[in-house]
Amino acid sequence: MTFEKYPFEKLNILLKDITPNNKYEQSSLTIGEPQFDTPQFIQDELKNSTELLNKYPKSAGEDYLKEAMISFTSKRFNVNLEFSEIIPVFGTREVLFNFPQFALFDVKEPVMAFTNPFYQIYEGAATACRAKTIHLDLTKQNNYLPQISDEELKTCNLVILNYPNNPTSATITKKELEKWVQKALKFDFILINDECYSELYFDENKKPVSLLEACISIGNNSFKNCLVLNSISKRSSAPGLRSGFIAGDKDILKEYMKYRTYVGCASPIPLQKTAAAAWNDEVHVQGFRDIYKKNFEIAQDILGINIPEATFYIWLEVNDEERFTQELYEQKNIKVLPGSYLGRNGIGKNYIRIALVENSTKTKEVLMRLKDFIKGYK
Ligand SMILES: Cc1ncc(COP(=O)(O)O)c(C=O)c1O
């Protein structure tokens, strides 16, 4: 089994012989990790829960955590889930890696499709499953919406979409998602939407939609063949808490739950208690949304970009993304991620990904430096 090098490892290799300009403080815009303190009430909840360390956590998760997640999906998406329709997980990364292995285990020649560029765990999972991969290319020309023929789709066992999208920041309409649900039912494949960025939106009237809502609106009330993933990492600036969920088709989840018993990824009970408090609160999330919105407004002023509907990424078109990344580091001591490290078959070429995960003062300073660099870049 050969796994592709992780994008950050490729970046380290690309920059290893370069001496950055020490006139500037080093700024990294590479990683999708919010650089803010986890809100105090979440930290306090964790400190107050340490007495719960004396128990083994259940793989299925504590009821109060499931209730908090169910309440979140109800308030946010107006979708009322049953207990059997949701499983708390140890961050969504582990699910993205092990769910395909569970789902495709009995398939002789598995086929997995996912959006391209992508969060690299999708590809790692396909490698681990020995699945044939179909890349759903996201380009400016197709408006970052995958185009795939029915002929090809018929061959898929598992499709992973990711809207709001990392790294392109594209969003999808409910109408489009409804079409995907119809296809998942017609051709009998499992459809996942990775919705980890659904809470980082900037307009109350344009909140990202969930695949669960699309299911309900076309009458797939049991979410047959459909699953969503969501996470607290970006929403609450708490990636270290490792709290996410998988929700949807209860027949699939029932079997997956059995499998998870063996995976052994149960979240420690103090973390579950803390995560429940975070999922139950919306005020702190609004605070983060305000910060990201401000960052995008700064980026719009400085770089002239359009503000996306969600996420904290800028997918910026540049000439020769690797050279751009090297020279930017050398001249301005700023690290960005070449888009081609996140895509395959030429997707992501001539793009860089910028993560706006710092406060607005730092964001402004670093984007001014970036602008200055772009002016002289040929
Ligand atoms: C698209 C996407 N999905 C999933 C994850 C994993 O998030 P977590 O494991 O923290 O829930 C990330 C993290 O960067 C991501 O960008």
PDB file of all heavy atoms in Angstrom, residues 32 90-94 96 119 122 162 164 166 194 196-197 230-234 239 242-244 313 353, ligand 1:
ATOM      1  N   GLY A  32      -5.371  24.597   7.682  1.00  0.00           N
ATOM      2  CA  GLY A  32      -6.774  24.894   7.987  1.00  0.00           C
ATOM      3  C   GLY A  32      -7.070  24.745   9.458  1.00  0.00           C
ATOM      4  O   GLY A  32      -8.036  24.078   9.846  1.00  0.00           O
ATOM      5  N   PHE A  90     -14.634  10.605  16.666  1.00  0.00           N
ATOM      6  CA  PHE A  90     -13.432  11.231  17.216  1.00  0.00           C
ATOM      7  C   PHE A  90     -12.817  12.172  16.177  1.00  0.00           C
ATOM      8  O   PHE A  90     -11.731  11.926  15.647  1.00  0.00           O
ATOM      9  CB  PHE A  90     -12.455  10.125  17.615  1.00  0.00           C
ATOM     10  CG  PHE A  90     -11.380  10.567  18.576  1.00  0.00           C
ATOM     11  CD1 PHE A  90     -11.690  11.133  19.798  1.00  0.00           C
ATOM     12  CD2 PHE A  90     -10.042  10.399  18.267  1.00  0.00           C
ATOM     13  CE1 PHE A  90     -10.709  11.543  20.681  1.00  0.00           C
ATOM     14  CE2 PHE A  90      -9.042  10.799  19.148  1.00  0.00           C
ATOM     15  CZ  PHE A  90      -9.385  11.373  20.358  1.00  0.00           C
ATOM     16  N   GLY A  91     -13.556  13.232  15.845  1.00  0.00           N
ATOM     17  CA  GLY A  91     -13.153  14.072  14.708  1.00  0.00           C
ATOM     18  C   GLY A  91     -13.546  13.345  13.431  1.00  0.00           C
ATOM     19  O   GLY A  91     -13.657  12.117  13.417  1.00  0.00           O
ATOM     20  N   THR A  92     -13.759  14.082  12.348  1.00  0.00           N
ATOM     21  CA  THR A  92     -14.265  13.418  11.140  1.00  0.00           C
ATOM     22  C   THR A  92     -13.159  12.747  10.324  1.00  0.00           C
ATOM     23  O   THR A  92     -13.439  11.914   9.483  1.00  0.00           O
ATOM     24  CB  THR A  92     -15.003  14.427  10.241  1.00  0.00           C
ATOM     25  OG1 THR A  92     -14.136  15.525   9.993  1.00  0.00           O
ATOM     26  CG2 THR A  92     -16.266  14.918  10.908  1.00  0.00           C
ATOM     27  N   ARG A  93     -11.936  13.104  10.609  1.00  0.00           N
ATOM     28  CA  ARG A  93     -10.835  12.543   9.834  1.00  0.00           C
ATOM     29  C   ARG A  93     -10.804  11.014   9.928  1.00  0.00           C
ATOM     30  O   ARG A  93     -10.642  10.313   8.924  1.00  0.00           O
ATOM     31  CB  ARG A  93      -9.527  13.141  10.358  1.00  0.00           C
ATOM     32  CG  ARG A  93      -8.295  12.642   9.662  1.00  0.00           C
ATOM     33  CD  ARG A  93      -7.049  13.240  10.295  1.00  0.00           C
ATOM     34  NE  ARG A  93      -5.882  12.641   9.720  1.00  0.00           N
ATOM     35  CZ  ARG A  93      -4.829  13.320   9.281  1.00  0.00           C
ATOM     36  NH1 ARG A  93      -4.796  14.633   9.379  1.00  0.00           N
ATOM     37  NH2 ARG A  93      -3.809  12.702   8.769  1.00  0.00           N
ATOM     38  N   GLU A  94     -10.984  10.498  11.133  1.00  0.00           N
ATOM     39  CA  GLU A  94     -10.922   9.034  11.275  1.00  0.00           C
ATOM     40  C   GLU A  94     -12.062   8.359  10.495  1.00  0.00           C
ATOM     41  O   GLU A  94     -11.878   7.292   9.907  1.00  0.00           O
ATOM     42  CB  GLU A  94     -10.908   8.624  12.754  1.00  0.00           C
ATOM     43  CG  GLU A  94     -12.060   9.160  13.629  1.00  0.00           C
ATOM     44  CD  GLU A  94     -13.123   8.131  13.961  1.00  0.00           C
ATOM     45  OE1 GLU A  94     -13.156   7.072  13.320  1.00  0.00           O
ATOM     46  OE2 GLU A  94     -13.949   8.418  14.858  1.00  0.00           O
ATOM     47  N   LEU A  96     -13.537   9.557   7.755  1.00  0.00           N
ATOM     48  CA  LEU A  96     -13.253   9.656   6.320  1.00  0.00           C
ATOM     49  C   LEU A  96     -12.269   8.578   5.893  1.00  0.00           C
ATOM     50  O   LEU A  96     -12.308   8.101   4.766  1.00  0.00           O
ATOM     51  CB  LEU A  96     -12.707  11.049   5.991  1.00  0.00           C
ATOM     52  CG  LEU A  96     -13.777  12.142   6.005  1.00  0.00           C
ATOM     53  CD1 LEU A  96     -13.158  13.529   6.062  1.00  0.00           C
ATOM     54  CD2 LEU A  96     -14.689  12.014   4.781  1.00  0.00           C
ATOM     55  N   TYR A 119      -9.499  17.102   0.361  1.00  0.00           N
ATOM     56  CA  TYR A 119      -8.871  16.845   1.657  1.00  0.00           C
ATOM     57  C   TYR A 119      -8.251  15.453   1.535  1.00  0.00           C
ATOM     58  O   TYR A 119      -8.941  14.480   1.216  1.00  0.00           O
ATOM     59  CB  TYR A 119      -9.964  16.893   2.726  1.00  0.00           C
ATOM     60  CG  TYR A 119      -9.534  16.571   4.123  1.00  0.00           C
ATOM     61  CD1 TYR A 119      -8.459  17.235   4.719  1.00  0.00           C
ATOM     62  CD2 TYR A 119     -10.215  15.619   4.870  1.00  0.00           C
ATOM     63  CE1 TYR A 119      -8.088  16.942   6.017  1.00  0.00           C
ATOM     64  CE2 TYR A 119      -9.846  15.328   6.174  1.00  0.00           C
ATOM     65  CZ  TYR A 119      -8.778  15.994   6.743  1.00  0.00           C
ATOM     66  OH  TYR A 119      -8.403  15.706   8.026  1.00  0.00           O
ATOM     67  N   TYR A 122      -9.451  11.532   1.833  1.00  0.00           N
ATOM     68  CA  TYR A 122     -10.315  10.792   0.888  1.00  0.00           C
ATOM     69  C   TYR A 122      -9.446   9.855   0.034  1.00  0.00           C
ATOM     70  O   TYR A 122      -9.792   8.702  -0.184  1.00  0.00           O
ATOM     71  CB  TYR A 122     -11.069  11.723  -0.075  1.00  0.00           C
ATOM     72  CG  TYR A 122     -11.845  12.872   0.515  1.00  0.00           C
ATOM     73  CD1 TYR A 122     -12.266  13.924  -0.297  1.00  0.00           C
ATOM     74  CD2 TYR A 122     -12.190  12.930   1.861  1.00  0.00           C
ATOM     75  CE1 TYR A 122     -12.998  14.991   0.206  1.00  0.00           C
ATOM     76  CE2 TYR A 122     -12.913  13.996   2.376  1.00  0.00           C
ATOM     77  CZ  TYR A 122     -13.300  15.028   1.552  1.00  0.00           C
ATOM     78  OH  TYR A 122     -14.004  16.100   2.046  1.00  0.00           O
ATOM     79  N   ASN A 162     -17.851  17.480  -0.922  1.00  0.00           N
ATOM     80  CA  ASN A 162     -17.360  18.307   0.190  1.00  0.00           C
ATOM     81  C   ASN A 162     -17.793  19.753  -0.075  1.00  0.00           C
ATOM     82  O   ASN A 162     -17.095  20.499  -0.710  1.00  0.00           O
ATOM     83  CB  ASN A 162     -15.831  18.165   0.272  1.00  0.00           C
ATOM     84  CG  ASN A 162     -15.187  19.180   1.206  1.00  0.00           C
ATOM     85  OD1 ASN A 162     -14.100  19.676   0.934  1.00  0.00           O
ATOM     86  ND2 ASN A 162     -15.835  19.499   2.300  1.00  0.00           N
ATOM     87  N   PRO A 164     -19.634  23.110   2.098  1.00  0.00           N
ATOM     88  CA  PRO A 164     -18.683  24.040   1.508  1.00  0.00           C
ATOM     89  C   PRO A 164     -17.318  23.379   1.338  1.00  0.00           C
ATOM     90  O   PRO A 164     -16.923  22.553   2.151  1.00  0.00           O
ATOM     91  CB  PRO A 164     -18.624  25.181   2.511  1.00  0.00           C
ATOM     92  CG  PRO A 164     -19.902  25.103   3.289  1.00  0.00           C
ATOM     93  CD  PRO A 164     -20.257  23.662   3.330  1.00  0.00           C
ATOM     94  N   ASN A 166     -13.334  22.646   0.735  1.00  0.00           N
ATOM     95  CA  ASN A 166     -11.918  22.892   0.966  1.00  0.00           C
ATOM     96  C   ASN A 166     -11.185  22.272  -0.213  1.00  0.00           C
ATOM     97  O   ASN A 166     -11.330  21.066  -0.426  1.00  0.00           O
ATOM     98  CB  ASN A 166     -11.482  22.207   2.273  1.00  0.00           C
ATOM     99  CG  ASN A 166      -9.979  22.168   2.452  1.00  0.00           C
ATOM    100  OD1 ASN A 166      -9.254  22.843   1.751  1.00  0.00           O
ATOM    101  ND2 ASN A 166      -9.516  21.338   3.370  1.00  0.00           N
ATOM    102  N   ASP A 194     -19.242  15.883   3.089  1.00  0.00           N
ATOM    103  CA  ASP A 194     -18.388  16.323   4.191  1.00  0.00           C
ATOM    104  C   ASP A 194     -18.713  17.803   4.419  1.00  0.00           C
ATOM    105  O   ASP A 194     -18.373  18.654   3.595  1.00  0.00           O
ATOM    106  CB  ASP A 194     -16.930  16.103   3.766  1.00  0.00           C
ATOM    107  CG  ASP A 194     -15.924  16.642   4.770  1.00  0.00           C
ATOM    108  OD1 ASP A 194     -16.330  17.312   5.732  1.00  0.00           O
ATOM    109  OD2 ASP A 194     -14.719  16.389   4.568  1.00  0.00           O
ATOM    110  N   CYS A 196     -17.890  19.850   7.019  1.00  0.00           N
ATOM    111  CA  CYS A 196     -17.088  20.401   8.123  1.00  0.00           C
ATOM    112  C   CYS A 196     -17.026  21.927   8.172  1.00  0.00           C
ATOM    113  O   CYS A 196     -16.713  22.503   9.203  1.00  0.00           O
ATOM    114  CB  CYS A 196     -15.656  19.892   8.007  1.00  0.00           C
ATOM    115  SG  CYS A 196     -15.561  18.204   8.513  1.00  0.00           S
ATOM    116  N   TYR A 197     -17.281  22.562   7.017  1.00  0.00           N
ATOM    117  CA  TYR A 197     -17.196  24.032   6.977  1.00  0.00           C
ATOM    118  C   TYR A 197     -18.579  24.690   6.948  1.00  0.00           C
ATOM    119  O   TYR A 197     -18.683  25.892   6.692  1.00  0.00           O
ATOM    120  CB  TYR A 197     -16.367  24.475   5.759  1.00  0.00           C
ATOM    121  CG  TYR A 197     -14.913  24.083   5.896  1.00  0.00           C
ATOM    122  CD1 TYR A 197     -14.460  22.840   5.435  1.00  0.00           C
ATOM    123  CD2 TYR A 197     -14.000  24.919   6.528  1.00  0.00           C
ATOM    124  CE1 TYR A 197     -13.135  22.450   5.592  1.00  0.00           C
ATOM    125  CE2 TYR A 197     -12.671  24.544   6.685  1.00  0.00           C
ATOM    126  CZ  TYR A 197     -12.250  23.312   6.218  1.00  0.00           C
ATOM    127  OH  TYR A 197     -10.938  22.925   6.382  1.00  0.00           O
ATOM    128  N   ASN A 230     -20.049  16.166  10.086  1.00  0.00           N
ATOM    129  CA  ASN A 230     -19.798  17.529  10.538  1.00  0.00           C
ATOM    130  C   ASN A 230     -18.858  17.488  11.728  1.00  0.00           C
ATOM    131  O   ASN A 230     -18.644  16.417  12.320  1.00  0.00           O
ATOM    132  CB  ASN A 230     -21.095  18.271  10.860  1.00  0.00           C
ATOM    133  CG  ASN A 230     -20.979  19.752  10.509  1.00  0.00           C
ATOM    134  OD1 ASN A 230     -19.932  20.370  10.739  1.00  0.00           O
ATOM    135  ND2 ASN A 230     -22.031  20.328   9.951  1.00  0.00           N
ATOM    136  N   SER A 231     -18.290  18.642  12.059  1.00  0.00           N
ATOM    137  CA  SER A 231     -17.184  18.667  13.007  1.00  0.00           C
ATOM    138  C   SER A 231     -17.192  19.954  13.816  1.00  0.00           C
ATOM    139  O   SER A 231     -17.648  20.997  13.339  1.00  0.00           O
ATOM    140  CB  SER A 231     -15.880  18.592  12.206  1.00  0.00           C
ATOM    141  OG  SER A 231     -14.786  18.916  13.011  1.00  0.00           O
ATOM    142  N   ILE A 232     -16.649  19.858  15.001  1.00  0.00           N
ATOM    143  CA  ILE A 232     -16.577  21.038  15.851  1.00  0.00           C
ATOM    144  C   ILE A 232     -15.269  21.812  15.627  1.00  0.00           C
ATOM    145  O   ILE A 232     -15.125  22.952  16.072  1.00  0.00           O
ATOM    146  CB  ILE A 232     -16.683  20.576  17.316  1.00  0.00           C
ATOM    147  CG1 ILE A 232     -17.466  21.594  18.106  1.00  0.00           C
ATOM    148  CG2 ILE A 232     -15.350  20.319  17.950  1.00  0.00           C
ATOM    149  CD1 ILE A 232     -17.995  21.016  19.376  1.00  0.00           C
ATOM    150  N   SER A 233     -14.354  21.181  14.905  1.00  0.00           N
ATOM    151  CA  SER A 233     -12.989  21.730  14.827  1.00  0.00           C
ATOM    152  C   SER A 233     -12.949  23.174  14.338  1.00  0.00           C
ATOM    153  O   SER A 233     -12.323  24.032  14.960  1.00  0.00           O
ATOM    154  CB  SER A 233     -12.136  20.861  13.915  1.00  0.00           C
ATOM    155  OG  SER A 233     -12.122  19.549  14.407  1.00  0.00           O
ATOM    156  N   LYS A 234     -13.631  23.439  13.217  1.00  0.00           N
ATOM    157  CA  LYS A 234     -13.582  24.786  12.640  1.00  0.00           C
ATOM    158  C   LYS A 234     -14.635  25.652  13.318  1.00  0.00           C
ATOM    159  O   LYS A 234     -14.397  26.820  13.592  1.00  0.00           O
ATOM    160  CB  LYS A 234     -13.847  24.741  11.130  1.00  0.00           C
ATOM    161  CG  LYS A 234     -13.291  23.528  10.408  1.00  0.00           C
ATOM    162  CD  LYS A 234     -11.792  23.545  10.225  1.00  0.00           C
ATOM    163  CE  LYS A 234     -11.326  22.243   9.585  1.00  0.00           C
ATOM    164  NZ  LYS A 234      -9.905  22.115   9.482  1.00  0.00           N
ATOM    165  N   PRO A 239     -10.052  22.206  17.289  1.00  0.00           N
ATOM    166  CA  PRO A 239      -9.681  20.970  16.588  1.00  0.00           C
ATOM    167  C   PRO A 239      -9.105  19.913  17.530  1.00  0.00           C
ATOM    168  O   PRO A 239      -9.165  18.723  17.249  1.00  0.00           O
ATOM    169  CB  PRO A 239      -8.646  21.436  15.556  1.00  0.00           C
ATOM    170  CG  PRO A 239      -8.177  22.773  16.006  1.00  0.00           C
ATOM    171  CD  PRO A 239      -9.286  23.379  16.806  1.00  0.00           C
ATOM    172  N   ARG A 242     -11.469  16.975  19.119  1.00  0.00           N
ATOM    173  CA  ARG A 242     -11.804  15.810  18.306  1.00  0.00           C
ATOM    174  C   ARG A 242     -13.272  15.426  18.449  1.00  0.00           C
ATOM    175  O   ARG A 242     -13.608  14.349  18.975  1.00  0.00           O
ATOM    176  CB  ARG A 242     -10.907  14.597  18.632  1.00  0.00           C
ATOM    177  CG  ARG A 242      -9.429  14.850  18.678  1.00  0.00           C
ATOM    178  CD  ARG A 242      -8.874  15.599  17.487  1.00  0.00           C
ATOM    179  NE  ARG A 242      -9.047  14.925  16.213  1.00  0.00           N
ATOM    180  CZ  ARG A 242      -9.596  15.535  15.146  1.00  0.00           C
ATOM    181  NH1 ARG A 242     -10.033  16.780  15.196  1.00  0.00           N
ATOM    182  NH2 ARG A 242      -9.696  14.882  14.018  1.00  0.00           N
ATOM    183  N   SER A 243     -14.139  16.278  18.009  1.00  0.00           N
ATOM    184  CA  SER A 243     -15.561  15.939  18.058  1.00  0.00           C
ATOM    185  C   SER A 243     -16.225  16.204  16.714  1.00  0.00           C
ATOM    186  O   SER A 243     -16.152  17.314  16.182  1.00  0.00           O
ATOM    187  CB  SER A 243     -16.271  16.741  19.143  1.00  0.00           C
ATOM    188  OG  SER A 243     -17.662  16.465  19.088  1.00  0.00           O
ATOM    189  N   GLY A 244     -16.849  15.159  16.200  1.00  0.00           N
ATOM    190  CA  GLY A 244     -17.613  15.278  14.973  1.00  0.00           C
ATOM    191  C   GLY A 244     -18.737  14.272  15.005  1.00  0.00           C
ATOM    192  O   GLY A 244     -18.933  13.577  16.015  1.00  0.00           O
ATOM    193  N   TYR A 313     -11.012  29.850   3.294  1.00  0.00           N
ATOM    194  CA  TYR A 313      -9.949  29.696   2.288  1.00  0.00           C
ATOM    195  C   TYR A 313     -10.098  30.646   1.111  1.00  0.00           C
ATOM    196  O   TYR A 313     -11.212  30.902   0.645  1.00  0.00           O
ATOM    197  CB  TYR A 313      -9.959  28.271   1.720  1.00  0.00           C
ATOM    198  CG  TYR A 313      -9.661  27.208   2.739  1.00  0.00           C
ATOM    199  CD1 TYR A 313     -10.625  26.271   3.098  1.00  0.00           C
ATOM    200  CD2 TYR A 313      -8.407  27.144   3.348  1.00  0.00           C
ATOM    201  CE1 TYR A 313     -10.339  25.289   4.038  1.00  0.00           C
ATOM    202  CE2 TYR A 313      -8.126  26.168   4.290  1.00  0.00           C
ATOM    203  CZ  TYR A 313      -9.097  25.246   4.628  1.00  0.00           C
ATOM    204  OH  TYR A 313      -8.822  24.281   5.558  1.00  0.00           O
ATOM    205  N   ARG A 353      -3.566  27.856  -2.154  1.00  0.00           N
ATOM    206  CA  ARG A 353      -4.593  27.957  -1.109  1.00  0.00           C
ATOM    207  C   ARG A 353      -4.054  28.817   0.019  1.00  0.00           C
ATOM    208  O   ARG A 353      -2.942  28.585   0.516  1.00  0.00           O
ATOM    209  CB  ARG A 353      -4.972  26.574  -0.575  1.00  0.00           C
ATOM    210  CG  ARG A 353      -6.186  26.651   0.356  1.00  0.00           C
ATOM    211  CD  ARG A 353      -6.471  25.335   1.049  1.00  0.00           C
ATOM    212  NE  ARG A 353      -5.570  25.117   2.166  1.00  0.00           N
ATOM    213  CZ  ARG A 353      -5.657  24.096   3.021  1.00  0.00           C
ATOM    214  NH1 ARG A 353      -6.619  23.189   2.853  1.00  0.00           N
ATOM    215  NH2 ARG A 353      -4.800  23.962   4.005  1.00  0.00           N
TER     216      ARG A 353
HETATM  217  C1  LIG B   1     -12.716  19.017   4.219  1.00  0.00           C
HETATM  218  C2  LIG B   1     -12.293  18.541   5.560  1.00  0.00           C
HETATM  219  N1  LIG B   1     -12.898  17.469   6.074  1.00  0.00           N
HETATM  220  C3  LIG B   1     -12.550  16.984   7.272  1.00  0.00           C
HETATM  221  C4  LIG B   1     -11.555  17.579   8.025  1.00  0.00           C
HETATM  222  C5  LIG B   1     -11.183  16.956   9.346  1.00  0.00           C
HETATM  223  O1  LIG B   1     -11.678  17.640  10.420  1.00  0.00           O
HETATM  224  P1  LIG B   1     -11.720  17.004  11.875  1.00  0.00           P
HETATM  225  O2  LIG B   1     -11.067  15.651  11.846  1.00  0.00           O
HETATM  226  O3  LIG B   1     -11.012  17.964  12.728  1.00  0.00           O
HETATM  227  O4  LIG B   1     -13.188  16.874  12.202  1.00  0.00           O
HETATM  228  C6  LIG B   1     -10.885  18.694   7.530  1.00  0.00           C
HETATM  229  C7  LIG B   1      -9.792  19.317   8.300  1.00  0.00           C
HETATM  230  O5  LIG B   1      -9.069  20.157   7.864  1.00  0.00           O
HETATM  231  C8  LIG B   1     -11.272  19.189   6.256  1.00  0.00           C
HETATM  232  O6  LIG B   1     -10.674  20.261   5.721  1.00  0.00           O
END
